[in-house]
Amino acid sequence: QLQLQESGPGLVKPSETLSLTCTVSGGSISSYSWSWIRQPAGKGLEWIGRIYTSGGTNYNPSLKSRVTMSVDTAKKQISLKLNSVTAADTAVYYCAKVNGTYALEDYWGQGTLVTVSS
Amino acid sequence: EIVLTQSPGTLSLSPGERATLSCRASQSVSSNFLAWYQQKPGQAPRLLIYTASSRATGIPDRFSGSGSGTDFTLTISRLEPEDFALYYCQQYGTSPVTFGGGTKVEIK
């Protein structure tokens, strides 16, 4: 059964770079596209972007200038980097598998909380 | 981007009652690529419905989705105790993917 596990520093200083990884087990990382979504405490969901099986990416325009996603197939990991963070980037960050037929997020990891604070 | 507005913000109902949740889009959702997710405290969202009316694998048939264009509805025919949660709609037909603000279904 597919499992997704997000990991990374729980605390990042303002202006620094947030770096997270999502480790995939129980399935093929190269068979799917992958998304990152975030959720500030007590608030709604914000789609950060997607990395496709081709390696191409599609980022939310609101974050595009600060976001980089990549896949390491050998390590079975998807990475997210968000630079120049502020307190507004404090959220639970989820990685999710993208359904190949319908292009939506059909399975999510449990998420990891990242706090931006000095 | 397409803005999704969910209503009501909170729905207070009793187990066994019917729940009707609304999601309205600021413009037509391409190919009715509209999904519904359920989220419980401390958990990740779970996909319930995709393409407006198709149930995801393992989702009970008391959950149904309907609608097209800009107006969509999630109906829970008879609320079970485990159905009290937050529900989000999502459109994935036009980039960027966007989510509604959520509807909380709480026990009355």
Side-chain angles (χ1 to χ4, degrees):
Chain A
Q1 184 175 351
L2 186 71
Q3 292 192 0
L4 308 178
Q5 182 64 60
E6 302 90 345
S7 60
L11 181 63
V12 181
K13 290 183 168 55
S15 80
E16 295 190 344
T17 297
L18 178 160
S19 296
L20 297 176
T21 59
C22 173
T23 302
V24 178
S25 58
S28 171
I29 191 171
S30 56
S31 297
Y32 302 106
S33 301
W34 305 93
S35 292
W36 286 93
I37 302 101
R38 70 181 184 179
Q39 184 174 37
K43 296 188 177 181
L45 298 159
E46 180 180 29
W47 185 80
I48 299 171
R50 188 174 288 173
I51 184 164
Y52 297 93
T53 54
S54 63
T57 54
N58 182 17
Y59 301 141
N60 192 322
S62 67
L63 297 167
K64 187 174 183 177
S65 63
R66 299 193 291 132
V67 172
T68 304
M69 294 181 187
S70 61
V71 171
D72 185 329
T73 53
K75 292 183 177 180
K76 301 193 75 173
Q77 290 180 335
I78 306 113
S79 73
L80 169 70
K81 294 188 187 299
L82 180 67
N83 60 35
S84 304
V85 298
T86 70
D89 296 309
T90 294
V92 174
Y93 286 75
Y94 296 99
C95 66
K97 167 186 156 293
V98 178
N99 181 281
T101 301
Y102 295 104
L104 81 160
E105 289 73 15
D106 64 355
Y107 187 77
W108 300 46
Q110 285 304 298
T112 188
L113 173 63
V114 178
T115 301
V116 178
S117 175
S118 55
Chain B
E1 69 177 42
I2 294 179
V3 176
L4 299 178
T5 301
Q6 291 188 240
S7 62
T10 302
L11 202 49
S12 299
L13 295 168
S14 301
E17 289 194 297
R18 182 184 188 90
T20 303
L21 288 66
S22 173
C23 177
R24 178 163 290 177
S26 60
Q27 57 187 276
S28 186
V29 176
S30 176
S31 303
N32 290 331
F33 281 172
L34 192 287
W36 291 93
Y37 294 86
Q38 177 192 68
Q39 187 178 34
K40 296 180 179 179
Q43 297 185 17
R46 178 176 71 144
L47 177 65
L48 301 175
I49 301 287
Y50 61 95
T51 55
S53 60
S54 299
R55 268 189 303 276
T57 303
I59 302 303
D61 61 7
R62 64 180 181 272
F63 291 92
S64 63
S66 62
S68 64
T70 61
D71 289 299
F72 298 89
T73 300
L74 174 70
T75 301
I76 311 170
S77 58
R78 294 172 308 279
L79 282 164
E80 297 287 341
E82 62 267 28
D83 299 336
F84 291 92
L86 260 172
Y87 292 85
Y88 291 97
C89 59
Q90 175 207 41
Q91 70 79 25
Y92 53 98
T94 300
S95 185
V97 169
T98 51
F99 293 88
T103 290
K104 181 181 181 180
V105 179
E106 66 175 21
I107 299 177
K108 187 173 182 180

